[in-house]
Amino acid sequence: MMKRYSISTAVKAAFGVGALSLALVGCGGSDGKDGEDGKPGEIAVDINSATAVQTKIESASYDAAAKTLSFEFSLTNPNGVAVTGLEALTDPLRIAFGRMGTRSEAFTPYSLEDGTQVTGRADGDEEIWLSYRNASKNGVPMTGTNNWRPTRDCPEGLSCLSYLGEGRYRVTAPEIINTNGLDYDYDANRINGIYLITYGVGQNKLKNVEAYYWDPLTEQSVASPKKVLEMDTCTSCHLGQDHIRHGNYGNTADGCGFCHTDYTQYSGSGTDGEGNTVEFNFDGSIKGLVHAVHTGITEGDRRELAKFNSVIANANNPAFTYEFDGAALDSEGNPKAELNFPASTANCQSCHVSYTTTEETLPEGLTAHALAWFGDKDVTSCQSCHGEYHRGSNLVAPGEEGATMVGCVTCHSSQDGNTRGGAYRHFAGHQQASSQAASQAGILVGASYSQIAWDETSATLSFTLNLNKGEEAVTSLHVPRVTVYVNAVDAVKPDAYLAARTSGSATANPDGSYRVTVDASKPNYGLPSLAEVIANGADLAITSSFSTCFKNKSSTLVELDGEGNCAGVLSPNAAKTEFVKLDGTPGAVRASAVDYDNCASCHNNDMVARKGAAHYRNADVHTCAQCHEAGDYNSLVVRVHGTFGKAHGRADVHQLVSSANCSACHSDLNFGLENARSTPMRWNKGDASYSSPQAGVCASCHVSSSYEIGGGKDSAKSHIESMGGVVAGSYEAAMLNSESCLTCHSAEKVAELHKQN
C-alpha cells in the first residue's frame, strides 16, 4: 500500500499547480475521479472580422397551419470556416419568398375609360414566378417584393434568427405571406423558393445572395424552376458585381425575378415636350426593364434610330417619351448623365443565346421557359419596346364576362407555321419565311478577292471583288456603293498595319463582280505609302464595306430602282478583313492583343451605332484597325482605353466595365507591353500626335484627361518620357524605339497594379 504524506501550506505555496500535479502523479497518487475530456473549441471567425461570406441553405419548409416559414443555413467564409455572430447584428438578412404560379393568379381586373371590363389575359396560363410578399408604393399596388427581415418583422417576444453552432443558423418567419390583395396563397403543389440576402453585415459591410428552391411535398431541394438565361449573358457586359444594378444583391439571374416579377409595375415621373411634369406607370418586371434599358446606344441618340422617335416613343413607353431609362433624374426629371448600352434589345440573341425551338437542344441547366421568346405567347412583352404601336394592347370583343387582353399575339406568333412571328423578325438567316429582320440580313453577305495584280511602275494595285450571299451573287444591282480599304502587314512579324490607309475605287464588271483599283503611291498622315511597304515584302490586308438591298421582313435580295435607290431595306455590312499575298495565297494575319469576341459580347452585331448607321456590322478587330491604327483617326488602343473621354474612358461606360479591368477585353496576359505594336501609335488627328508603342499603351489612360486622378497626368507623362518613351511626337521620333517601359512593367506587374488577380 502506498503511504500518503501530508504537504504543508508552505510547501504547497512553493510548488506551482503544475508542479504539484506532477509530484502527485510521480508518486503514483490520484487527485480524485478523472472527468471526461472537454469538447474542442469551435473553429470560427467572428462576423466583424470576416472579409467575405457565403451562405448555403440546407433545408426549408412551410407550416401551413402555423403560417410559418423556417429554414436552416450555414454561413462561412470562402475557405469554408464557420462565421459566428450574425444573430447579434441589427438587420443582417433580407428574405424574399415565393413560388411558381400562373399569370391568371396575379391578374387584377380593370376598367377602360369607356367602361369595358378587362377580366383576363390571353396568356393567363403562362407560368410565372409569384411573390408571397408584394409591395405597394406611390399608389401602385405591385412594385416588387417587400423583403422579410428577422429583426424588423419578427413578432415581439420571439427570436426569429438563432445560432445553432458550427456556423449554422435557423430562421423562423411567422405570418410571412402577404400577397397585398392578389388572390393566391401558399401552394404545396408548386415549387417554392427563397432568395436570401446577406445585407451589408459586419464591420466590412459584407454582401451575399443565394436562391434556393424546394418541393414542399418532399421537402427536397430542386433546381431553378424557371431558368431563362445564363447569368454570363449579363456579366459578359456587366463585368463584376459593381457593374450590375444593386451590386451583388441582384447578381444572379434567378434573384432578379424574386422582386421584378412579371406583374411588377413601377411609377415614375418625367417631362413632356412642353416641359410639363408627367406621372406614369411602367413595366417593372425584369424582362420589361431589361428590354427598355437596352433599346440601343445612348439614351439621347437612340431616339434618332428607325421608328423609335416617331412611333415607339409615346406614353406607353416612358423610357422614350419622358427620358426615363433608369438613370438618376435631376430636378427637371431628366437623366443626370447619358447612359451607354451598346447591346441592342433588337438583337434577341445577345441574351437569349443560341436557343433553339426544341426543349431537347436547350443548353444544360435551362428550363423550357427559355424557349418562350420563340413562341410569342406573352401579350405584353412586345410593348416593353414597341409601346402601343399597331394595337399593342388589343382586346377581344367584349362578351358577357368582359374582354380579354390579347395584345400583339393576336397576329404575331412564331409557332404552328405562323409566318408573322415577332421573335424571328429581330434577326436574319433563320430561313423562316416573312419573319426576318431585313436590316440585319447584311451579315449574310461575304466578300472574296482574286486576280490580284501589282504594277510596280505605276504603283497600282488591282484585284477582283466578289460579293455572295451563300451561293447567290450579290452585284451592283443590289448594292449602291462599295468602299474598299487596303493596308499591309509585315509578312514575318504582322503585329501592325504598316502604311497609310488607302481607299480603292470599285467598278462593276459585266459578270456582277467588281474590279478594284488602288493608287498605292501616296503616303498620308505621316505614314509610309502602301507602295513602299509592298516593295519591302509586306502582305496585303483588304476590307470592303457596303450596304445590300433586301425585301422588307426577309433576307431576299431586291434590285435597286433605275435611280439606284432601294425600295426595300438597305442593310449595312463590313466584311471581315482578308489577308493575302500578291500571288493570291493566304497572307500573314495581323496579330491582336484582344479577342474580338470579347468586344462583340457587349457590342453585338452592330458594334457601335451612330445616328442610324451600324459602324461596322459583321466586322472584326482588323477591320476596326483599318481606320483606328494607321489611319486618320486615333489608334484603337487609344480610342478604346479612353483618351479624350472616348469609348471606355467615358464615365457612363464605366457603369458597365472600367478600362482598368484589362481582362474584360484581353484574354490571359495579352494586355502586357510585350504585345505592344512595333510601329508608332496614332494619338489624335493633330500634328505631332504619335506615341512610341509601349508609351502609347500606358499613356492612352494615364496621360488622358479622362484619368486625371490626383493630378497624376503630367507626372505620368514625365515618367514615360524619362524612360525613353514618346507620348506625342512625330512618326519618325516615335519609331526610334528607345523606350524601356517593359523593364519594370511586365505583364504580371501590370496585372497586379490593375488588380487583375
Side-chain angles (χ1 to χ4, degrees), residues 158-416:
L158 294 182
S159 177
C160 293
L161 174 61
S162 56
Y163 184 59
L164 304 178
E166 300 180 345
R168 295 176 62 249
Y169 296 82
R170 177 190 292 275
V171 170
T172 304
E175 300 290 344
I176 189 173
I177 294 180
N178 179 8
T179 57
N180 198 16
L182 290 184
D183 190 21
Y184 63 86
D185 202 341
Y186 173 73
D187 188 343
N189 295 302
R190 292 283 193 167
I191 298 301
N192 281 239
I194 302 169
Y195 193 57
L196 179 61
I197 305 173
T198 308
Y199 190 79
V201 297
Q203 295 291 339
N204 294 315
K205 304 298 182 185
L206 306 178
K207 308 172 185 177
N208 184 75
V209 293
E210 180 192 5
Y212 176 84
Y213 305 94
W214 78 97
D215 182 348
L217 298 179
T218 64
E219 293 195 355
Q220 297 297 307
S221 64
V222 296
S224 170
K226 193 181 179 183
K227 191 171 183 181
V228 176
L229 296 174
E230 295 287 3
M231 190 61 193
D232 57 14
T233 64
C234 306
T235 55
S236 61
C237 288
H238 296 272
L239 295 177
Q241 64 187 39
D242 292 336
H243 298 116
I244 202 165
R245 185 67 172 167
H246 306 306
N248 82 336
Y249 295 152
N251 203 8
T252 69
D254 286 337
C256 301
F258 272 86
C259 291
H260 298 287
T261 61
D262 276 25
Y263 54 89
T264 296
Q265 289 287 311
Y266 282 164
S267 61
S269 63
T271 54
D272 60 18
E274 299 177 353
N276 301 312
T277 299
V278 181
E279 305 293 333
F280 53 85
N281 295 337
F282 61 99
D283 188 351
S285 69
I286 187 60
K287 173 177 60 185
L289 292 176
V290 168
H291 284 180
V293 166
H294 294 84
T295 315
I297 59 169
T298 63
E299 192 275 338
D301 287 348
R302 71 181 65 167
R303 300 163 188 277
E304 304 299 324
L305 298 179
K307 300 176 181 178
F308 284 92
N309 198 41
S310 59
V311 179
I312 300 174
N314 55 48
N316 295 284
N317 193 337
F320 294 96
T321 307
Y322 304 114
E323 301 186 10
F324 180 86
D325 60 3
L329 303 183
D330 60 23
S331 59
E332 297 179 353
N334 297 315
K336 292 181 179 179
E338 285 274 284
L339 297 181
N340 183 63
F341 300 104
S344 170
T345 310
N347 188 342
C348 308
Q349 292 179 302
S350 293
C351 297
H352 299 282
V353 289
S354 303
Y355 299 163
T356 66
T357 55
T358 61
E359 190 171 347
E360 292 74 19
T361 52
L362 275 173
E364 185 178 357
L366 297 179
T367 65
H369 301 93
L371 302 174
W373 72 283
F374 275 114
D376 293 322
K377 296 180 180 180
D378 188 331
V379 304
T380 58
S381 62
C382 305
Q383 291 175 279
S384 58
C385 285
H386 292 281
E388 286 298 306
Y389 174 61
H390 197 52
R391 296 174 291 179
S393 293
N394 201 20
L395 304 173
V396 299
E400 294 182 1
E401 297 182 358
T404 299
M405 181 180 179
V406 293
C408 306
V409 300
T410 308
C411 300
H412 296 280
S413 67
S414 297
Q415 43 190 325
D416 301 327

Side-chain angles (χ1 to χ4, degrees), residues 459-476:
T460 300
L461 177 72
S462 59
F463 52 86
T464 297
L465 162 66
N466 279 282
L467 301 178
N468 293 90
K469 175 178 167 285
E471 297 182 356
E472 189 174 7
V474 178
T475 72
S476 59

Side-chain angles (χ1 to χ4, degrees), residues 15 105 122 199 299 387 439 543 568 579 685-686 702 736:
F15 283 85
E105 291 182 273
Y199 190 79
E299 192 275 338
S439 61
T543 303
F579 295 90
K685 290 185 178 181
H702 293 283
L736 294 178

Side-chain angles (χ1 to χ4, degrees), residues 640-668:
V640 170
H641 285 181
T643 302
F644 314 115
K646 293 168 183 169
H648 286 221
R650 290 169 45 175
D652 56 316
V653 180
H654 275 220
Q655 297 180 56
L656 298 175
V657 54
S658 168
S659 300
N661 189 345
C662 310
S663 58
C665 299
H666 301 275
S667 302
D668 300 321

Side-chain angles (χ1 to χ4, degrees), residues 125-184:
D125 59 348
E126 182 180 355
E127 287 195 321
I128 64 173
W129 187 257
L130 302 173
S131 173
Y132 281 133
R133 291 181 61 83
N134 296 311
S136 180
K137 185 178 180 181
N138 297 335
V140 180
M142 305 306 159
T143 57
T145 287
N146 181 13
N147 291 322
W148 192 89
R149 307 183 194 180
T151 50
R152 181 195 67 179
D153 300 312
C154 188
E156 186 175 353
L158 294 182
S159 177
C160 293
L161 174 61
S162 56
Y163 184 59
L164 304 178
E166 300 180 345
R168 295 176 62 249
Y169 296 82
R170 177 190 292 275
V171 170
T172 304
E175 300 290 344
I176 189 173
I177 294 180
N178 179 8
T179 57
N180 198 16
L182 290 184
D183 190 21
Y184 63 86

